[in-house]
């Protein structure tokens, strides 16, 4: 079993990330005072949630709504009521099992129940394993994505590589896009691996998580540097809503657009990026999306300043910069993904 340590931070505990094969016996970190655990799981993760329940001998299991339907305040209130019925107290533990939506809402409920209880996350999709479950961003949607949330580090994240290796292709593809993002932002060897044939999934996951651990370890609350993890996301979020397409695929398209802007501003090799995205079977364009609605959404981006929308650009692989981009350059990025 490999492990990485994220933290410690002055305002939060450290987060232990375990890479396992199978659900380990010791799901819970050793702690003196804990009476109860509660498991929240996404519908597709029921067999794994049952395995976890057996390992820790709890009967407190609750299925969440599927995907983004789980990430609402209404669902959170129903979970709080359930936690109350089960007497989950300040020193007990909430375990989230599932994809990114499940780990986001389980983390959010853990961050807010009784002003914050311990959480453990067991991501069962590649996207959750390399991104959503790592680094303590939790939240639910309210109009916009993740508008209500909290930074709350899980005390432990268990990444079961056997689960990830058995994923169906569409779920694998979504996670590969986020792993590629991690490579472009912080690990050129990871990009090399993804450009090769049959890259070993375990190594991809560990490298992508290591990039996130390093970045978040330097800027937990996203005061500045953590924003580099949003490479491909500013335009990607617009594509995700308008195309519409799953988050990971939209990030792939968003990276092509941001890569094009990076090429214009810094001479970045955007052709290499497009070939890599295409070679991985990921989309490089957003069919049917027009510039007007895309620009409207991009203008509303949380990271906008008076000089333009703040985007992550690349000077080269593993050399990101976050800076305002004027609308005429964004239009060129959109044209590169067929939004013209
Ligand atoms: N998903 C980007 C971050 O955790 O900062």
């Amino acid at each position: 079993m490999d492990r990485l340590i994220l933290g410690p931070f002055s305002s939060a505990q450290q987060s232990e990330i375990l890479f396992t094969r199978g659900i380990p016996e010791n799901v819970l970190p050793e702690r003196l005072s804990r009476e109860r655990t509660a498991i929240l799981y996404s519908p597709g993760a029921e067999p794994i949630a049952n395995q976890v329940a057996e390992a820790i001998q709890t009967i407190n299991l609750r299925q969440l709504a599927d995907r983004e339907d789980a990430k609402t305040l209404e669902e959170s209130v129903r979970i709080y009521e359930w936690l109350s019925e089960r007497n989950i107290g300040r020193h007990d533990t909430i375990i989230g099992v599932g994809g990114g939506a499940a780990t986001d809402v389980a983390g959010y409920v853990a961050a807010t129940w009784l002003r914050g209880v311990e959480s453990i996350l067991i991501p069962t999709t590649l996207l959750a394993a390399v991104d959503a479950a790592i680094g303590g961003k939790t939240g639910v949607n309210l109009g916009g994505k993740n508008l209500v949330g909290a930074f709350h580090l899980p005390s432990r994240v268990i990444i079961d590589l056997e689960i990830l290796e058995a994923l169906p292709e569409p779920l694998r593809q979504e996670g590969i896009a986020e792993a590629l993002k991690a490579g472009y932002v912080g690990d050129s060897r990871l990009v090399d691996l993804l450009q090769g044939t049959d890259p070993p999934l375990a190594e991809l996951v560990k490298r992508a998580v290591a990039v996130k651990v390093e970045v978040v370890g330097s800027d937990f609350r996203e005061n500045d540097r953590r924003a580099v993890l949003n490479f491909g996301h500013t335009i990607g979020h617009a594509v995700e809503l308008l195309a519409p397409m799953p988050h990971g695929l939209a990030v792939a398209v968003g990276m092509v657009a941001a890569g094009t802007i990076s090429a214009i501003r810094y001479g970045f090799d955007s052709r290499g990026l497009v070939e890599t995205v295409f070679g991985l079977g990921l989309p490089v364009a957003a069919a049917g999306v027009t510039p007007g609605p895309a620009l409207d959404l991009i203008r509303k981006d949380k990271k906008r300043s008076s000089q333009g929308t703040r985007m992550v650009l690349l000077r080269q692989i593993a050399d990101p910069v976050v800076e305002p981009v004027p609308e005429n350059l964004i239009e060129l990025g959109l044209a590169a993904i067929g939004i013209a």
Side-chain angles (χ1 to χ4, degrees):
M1 185 190 293
D2 296 339
R3 72 203 279 268
L4 293 169
I5 300 287
L6 168 55
F9 303 98
S10 55
S11 58
Q13 293 174 333
Q14 69 177 23
S15 188
E16 177 186 41
I17 298 151
L18 302 177
F19 300 94
T20 68
R21 290 200 165 270
I23 298 297
E25 295 275 298
N26 59 335
V27 170
L28 300 168
E30 291 284 324
R31 207 149 49 64
L32 285 180
S33 56
R34 176 194 293 113
E35 284 180 21
R36 278 167 284 265
T37 50
I39 301 174
L40 304 171
Y41 64 93
S42 48
E46 185 163 8
I48 299 154
N50 285 335
Q51 245 181 291
V52 176
E54 201 170 309
I56 60 175
Q57 301 194 315
T58 183
I59 52 160
N60 298 321
L61 277 107
R62 188 183 194 282
Q63 184 173 299
L64 297 165
D66 204 15
R67 296 184 75 117
E68 294 297 300
D69 289 344
K71 288 183 57 172
T72 65
L73 283 172
E74 292 77 10
E75 176 79 343
S76 306
V77 169
R78 287 189 285 271
I79 299 169
Y80 295 141
E81 284 164 356
W82 179 79
L83 293 171
S84 173
E85 282 160 21
R86 303 283 160 141
N87 288 321
I88 301 299
R90 179 68 192 84
H91 299 289
D92 295 336
T93 299
I94 293 175
I95 303 180
V97 184
T103 58
D104 277 4
V105 73
Y108 173 67
V109 166
T112 46
W113 177 243
L114 305 177
R115 297 201 180 95
V117 300
E118 177 183 22
S119 65
I120 292 173
L121 300 178
I122 305 181
T124 60
T125 65
L126 191 53
L127 189 142
V130 300
D131 191 45
I134 310 292
K137 273 191 184 175
T138 75
V140 296
N141 303 327
L142 187 78
K145 279 191 82 164
N146 301 320
L147 285 189
V148 180
F151 288 98
H152 184 69
L153 271 179
S155 59
R156 177 174 277 182
V157 181
I158 298 172
I159 299 179
D160 180 347
L161 297 164
E162 279 175 7
I163 295 173
L164 304 183
E165 282 164 358
L167 284 174
E169 196 54 24
L171 279 181
R172 184 184 153 92
Q173 284 297 80
E174 271 207 74
I176 287 290
E178 286 283 0
L180 185 64
K181 175 208 76 179
Y184 271 102
V185 162
D187 181 357
S188 60
R189 174 73 189 132
L190 178 51
V191 177
D192 289 346
L193 283 171
L194 283 161
Q195 287 169 338
T197 45
D198 228 358
L201 191 72
E203 188 174 355
L204 297 184
V205 172
K206 287 178 193 172
R207 282 187 170 272
V209 172
V211 169
K212 185 144 190 189
V213 163
E214 193 278 316
V215 172
V216 177
S218 69
D219 179 26
F220 176 49
R221 287 183 183 274
E222 197 166 311
N223 291 318
D224 43 50
R225 184 157 177 254
R226 183 170 180 160
V228 302
L229 297 171
N230 294 326
F231 178 55
H233 282 63
T234 305
I235 293 177
H237 276 150
V239 169
E240 182 177 352
L241 270 171
L242 297 172
M245 64 171 81
H247 177 76
L249 305 189
V251 166
V253 178
M255 285 193 287
V256 171
T260 303
I261 298 169
S262 305
I264 296 166
R265 202 165 253 188
Y266 292 113
F268 170 73
D269 174 19
S270 62
R271 183 182 291 237
L273 185 150
V274 175
E275 280 167 8
T276 306
V277 171
F278 187 74
L280 287 164
L282 293 165
V284 295
V289 180
T290 51
L295 285 167
D296 280 348
L297 280 173
I298 292 163
R299 282 187 205 115
K300 282 190 197 139
D301 191 278
K302 292 196 283 281
K303 298 176 289 299
R304 200 177 154 71
S305 76
S306 55
Q307 288 109 35
T309 299
R310 287 179 71 75
M311 284 184 66
V312 186
L313 302 181
L314 298 176
R315 288 179 284 230
Q316 52 189 324
I317 296 175
D319 186 10
V321 57
V322 185
E323 58 188 30
V325 177
E327 202 153 296
N328 64 327
L329 268 189
I330 292 181
E331 281 170 352
L332 292 175
L334 290 176
I337 55 171
I339 304 179

